[in-house]
Amino acid sequence: GQVPDEDKNPVEPVMPFLKLCSSARQASLGGSAVGMPDGTITAYANPAGLGALMYTQITYTHFFYYENSDYNYFSFNLPLSKKFVAGLYGIYNSYGQFFYTKELVGRIVDMNESFTPSDYAAGLSLGWFQSRKFQAGIGGKFAMEKILDSKISAFLFDAGVLIHWNEYLTTGIVIQNLGGKMGDGAVKENPPSLLRLGTAYTIDFVDTEDLTFLLDAGLPPTRFKQVIDFIKVNAGTEWRY
């Protein structure tokens, strides 16, 4: 293998599952959701978006990946008043079944024992509807990844805002997974923090149909000096009727 240059090609931070799409809707939009003006995915993507929800929402998403790996996301959003909405969510990510191996007489053989690496997260978000022009939100989560007897866990925090420029255009800003270094002993890992900026533009055709375009851009907050190298862009569109 090749050891990356930390200044040019840093090692992927721990808990990469926190950067996965949390719903089929977000995945179909290319991962863009920060500027989303509504929807249950906002509890995870940008807690500010919760402020506009007017009724209770429950969602469950199950993704199949390669082999036996899968991703599960559950959310429950509840309006507390005309100004505040709470969102509760949970994540379980499994990497499938792996078998122990052992070298015998120059050969690698499978043992009759297996293990399943997995990730977990549970979070609570609160959205505030300040006005038709401005919303804000905060959130906290407990996340853990585990492989055999090795595990790492942390409490992480999110904060975001959502600005409605008019009835068609919104802009969102969120910083995700803020926290201190994680790990035991001498080895400490940085959390998978990410700063994201997103916008959404909706075109209304008739009362019951509209077309929305979304665009997000994000980068790790510690990489501002290398914005061009590390910026990640997501884009998508959806037709609702």
Side-chain angles (χ1 to χ4, degrees):
Q2 180 180 2
V3 178
D5 184 333
E6 177 63 20
D7 291 331
K8 297 182 178 180
N9 186 26
V11 176
E12 178 71 19
V14 295
M15 299 185 181
F17 77 99
L18 294 177
K19 296 182 179 180
L20 296 176
C21 294
S22 62
S23 71
R25 185 184 184 190
Q26 184 181 3
S28 68
L29 291 169
S32 53
V34 175
M36 179 73 70
D38 59 17
T40 56
I41 60 176
T42 58
Y44 184 71
N46 183 359
L50 285 172
L53 298 181
M54 297 180 290
Y55 51 89
T56 301
Q57 293 182 327
I58 300 175
T59 63
Y60 173 72
T61 300
H62 180 82
F63 288 121
F64 288 104
Y65 289 109
Y66 58 89
E67 296 296 335
N68 296 319
S69 61
D70 61 272
Y71 175 93
N72 300 270
Y73 173 80
F74 169 83
S75 71
F76 174 72
N77 301 320
L78 177 68
L80 303 177
S81 67
K82 293 182 179 180
K83 291 288 187 180
F84 294 97
V85 178
L88 178 68
Y89 61 87
I91 298 171
Y92 172 68
N93 186 48
S94 170
Y95 295 95
Q97 190 176 37
F98 291 79
F99 288 90
Y100 291 95
T101 60
K102 186 176 182 180
E103 184 175 358
L104 294 175
V105 195
R107 295 188 305 164
I108 302 297
V109 297
D110 290 334
M111 309 298 289
N112 293 324
E113 297 182 39
S114 64
F115 64 96
T116 302
S118 54
D119 305 317
Y120 309 85
L124 177 65
S125 299
L126 182 66
W128 173 48
F129 183 81
Q130 193 273 335
S131 69
R132 293 182 179 273
K133 295 289 187 180
F134 182 81
Q135 297 163 217
I138 57 173
K141 65 174 75 77
F142 174 78
M144 180 177 69
E145 62 178 19
K146 181 179 180 181
I147 302 178
L148 295 175
D149 295 328
S150 175
K151 64 180 180 180
I152 188 169
S153 61
F155 287 98
L156 303 171
F157 302 94
D158 309 324
V161 297
L162 191 64
I163 302 170
H164 297 260
W165 302 104
N166 51 48
E167 61 180 315
Y168 307 109
L169 180 64
T170 60
T171 298
I173 304 173
V174 64
I175 187 162
Q176 300 172 317
N177 307 319
L178 285 176
K181 288 185 176 291
M182 303 177 293
D184 298 324
V187 179
K188 299 289 186 179
E189 301 281 358
N190 290 316
S193 301
L194 193 66
L195 176 67
R196 297 191 66 86
L197 171 67
T199 188
Y201 186 79
T202 300
I203 302 173
D204 289 325
F205 292 96
V206 294
D207 292 340
T208 59
E209 298 182 19
D210 58 55
L211 180 66
T212 301
F213 299 92
L214 296 102
L215 179 67
D216 284 8
L219 71 155
T222 56
R223 298 289 167 185
F224 286 124
K225 294 181 180 180
Q226 299 95 3
V227 171
I228 301 301
D229 292 335
F230 293 96
I231 193 168
K232 297 180 180 180
V233 178
N234 307 84
T237 184
E238 69 174 4
W239 174 276
R240 296 193 297 179
Y241 59 92

